[in-house]
């Protein structure tokens, strides 16, 4: 069910500008990772589709092959994204403070402030204001 939903609804929404930027990062020798508050049912399929080996996402816990109704904590949201990205970066030997991060939502401000290259893509009004104030890159991918 997830694969069909992904193929029918998410694949058509993938922005070609984002795919081009991903290719640029790979050409630079960067290691891409998806970090999203969405669940594993969307994020893992997106990572697979884009050929991204690493994905950090909100995880519904599974026990004995069944969803428990509980989520792994902390949630991959706001400061929780920083928690999980710092943990991943340490395991991978990557300096998060030299990394890029792309987002469209103000809730990701903590992670934007933790990286060297914060990028606001089609930002919500609050993020747009903050990005301009901090002179962060702003991209319009429509």
């Amino acid at each position: 069910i997830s694969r069909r939903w992904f193929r029918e609804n998410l694949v058509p929404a993938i922005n070609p500008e984002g795919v081009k930027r991903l290719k640029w990062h790979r050409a630079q020798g960067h290691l891409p990772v998806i970090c999203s508050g969405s669940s594993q049912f969307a994020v893992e399929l997106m990572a697979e589709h884009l050929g991204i080996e690493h994905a950090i996402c909100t995880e519904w816990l599974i026990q004995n092959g069944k969803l428990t109704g509980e989520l792994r904590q902390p949630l991959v949201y706001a400061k929780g994204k920083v928690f999980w990205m710092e943990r991943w970066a340490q395991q991978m030997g990557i300096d998060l403070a030299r990394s890029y991060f792309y987002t469209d939502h103000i809730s990701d401000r903590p992670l934007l402030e933790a990286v060297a290259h914060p990028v606001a893509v089609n930002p919500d009004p609050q993020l747009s204001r903050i990005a301009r104030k901090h002179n962060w890159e702003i991209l319009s991918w429509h």
Side-chain angles (χ1 to χ4, degrees):
I1 292 170
S2 293
R3 287 191 181 279
R4 185 182 65 209
W5 168 80
F6 176 79
R7 187 176 55 254
E8 293 174 0
N9 296 287
L10 292 186
V11 170
I14 295 171
N15 189 291
E17 293 300 317
V19 174
K20 283 172 43 178
R21 185 59 72 107
L22 178 59
K23 288 179 184 177
W24 177 84
H25 279 290
R26 286 186 169 128
Q28 302 302 309
H30 300 159
L31 180 63
V33 58
I34 295 177
C35 181
S36 172
S38 295
S39 80
Q40 71 261 39
F41 304 111
V43 174
E44 290 174 358
L45 292 172
M46 183 64 73
E48 179 183 307
H49 181 80
L50 295 173
I52 296 175
E53 183 179 347
H54 302 277
I56 297 167
C57 58
T58 296
E59 288 187 25
W60 287 94
L61 299 179
I62 299 170
Q63 189 173 43
N64 299 323
K66 295 181 181 179
L67 291 168
T68 66
E70 297 177 15
L71 297 170
R72 179 184 66 169
Q73 299 293 321
L75 296 177
V76 184
Y77 181 79
K79 290 181 182 180
K81 275 192 181 179
V82 176
F83 172 86
W84 290 109
M85 282 303 301
E86 285 177 342
R87 185 175 175 182
W88 176 84
Q90 184 179 30
Q91 290 171 349
M92 299 301 295
I94 291 173
D95 185 359
L96 193 59
R98 294 179 56 213
S99 298
Y100 288 76
F101 179 63
Y102 296 77
T103 187
D104 65 348
H105 198 267
I106 189 63
S107 66
D108 290 328
R109 183 177 181 177
L111 188 51
L112 288 163
E113 292 174 339
V115 300
H117 306 282
V119 184
V121 180
N122 302 335
D124 65 39
Q126 282 184 290
L127 179 56
S128 183
R129 190 171 48 256
I130 295 294
R132 285 192 310 274
K133 178 181 175 186
H134 292 287
N135 202 30
W136 295 340
E137 184 176 8
I138 300 174
L139 299 175
S140 180
W141 293 346
H142 293 288

